[in-house]
Amino acid sequence: MHKQEPITFHVNGVPVSLDIAADAPLLNVLRNDLCLNGPKFGCGLGECGTCTVLVDGVAARSCVIPLAGVAARHVTTLDGLEQDGCLDPVQQAFIDEQGAQCGYCLNGMIMTIKALLLRSPTPSEDEIRHELDFNLCRCGTHVEILRAALRAVELQRGRQ
């Protein structure tokens, strides 16, 4: 019988090597094995966005990515956005604009906006709306979320 090699990758800048089944969903590994509770379980089908993480800076649905899919890659969770005790501009914008009600969708919204800002630092409101189309919010805080995304653009400009 062939012994599986540990899967090595980076999570929030820290190297990790795990001897876990290669087909284990990344979301389960992040939450259950690494105790990172930013990404949430929503639909389990990659459609709602609550489990969104960044994989090499790109938004990805962790519930449908097998652990082997992140081997030798960099995964960033909501927990990893804070740098040197300072919130990321996207996190700060969501606080400033009260962009949450129940908070369940918040992880997906923040991580999606962060990924957008990494590839397009000054997106238009239409680009932001399009990007967020693929994240579900059942509380109806879409207006506040959009305001938070627009504020994140402003805050990011201020840090450059």
Side-chain angles (χ1 to χ4, degrees):
M1 186 159 124
H2 181 265
K3 177 152 173 35
Q4 174 183 307
E5 292 293 320
I7 296 173
T8 302
F9 59 110
H10 285 79
V11 178
N12 299 332
V14 177
V16 175
S17 186
L18 298 171
D19 193 8
I20 296 175
D23 63 349
L26 177 60
L27 175 62
N28 294 358
V29 172
L30 292 171
R31 290 184 61 82
N32 300 336
D33 298 291
L34 300 177
C35 299
L36 297 169
N37 293 317
K40 307 285 186 255
F41 181 86
C43 66
L45 303 170
E47 295 182 7
C48 72
T50 61
C51 67
T52 302
V53 297
L54 303 181
V55 177
D56 294 335
V58 177
R61 306 296 168 96
S62 65
C63 71
V64 294
I65 298 173
L67 183 59
V70 296
R73 299 180 81 181
H74 293 265
V75 175
T76 305
T77 69
L78 183 65
D79 315 80
L81 291 183
E82 180 183 339
Q83 297 294 315
D84 299 322
C86 294
L87 293 177
D88 184 86
V90 180
Q91 292 171 307
Q92 188 62 56
F94 271 78
I95 291 169
D96 293 347
E97 295 298 331
Q98 299 179 8
Q101 191 163 351
C102 82
Y104 208 80
C105 72
L106 206 55
N107 174 79
M109 298 292 184
I110 290 172
M111 298 308 287
T112 298
I113 293 301
K114 180 64 181 177
L116 173 62
L117 294 178
L118 286 172
R119 72 173 190 275
S120 176
T122 56
S124 68
E125 183 174 330
D126 286 341
E127 289 173 299
I128 293 169
R129 286 176 182 272
H130 175 74
E131 205 70 17
L132 292 177
D133 271 349
F134 305 99
N135 287 271
L136 301 180
C137 171
R138 293 186 176 139
C139 296
T141 58
H142 295 90
V143 172
E144 292 85 356
I145 289 168
L146 182 58
R147 273 199 324 251
L150 292 167
R151 184 176 187 100
V153 173
E154 293 172 17
L155 289 174
Q156 182 170 287
R157 276 190 207 144
R159 286 194 179 178
Q160 293 175 346

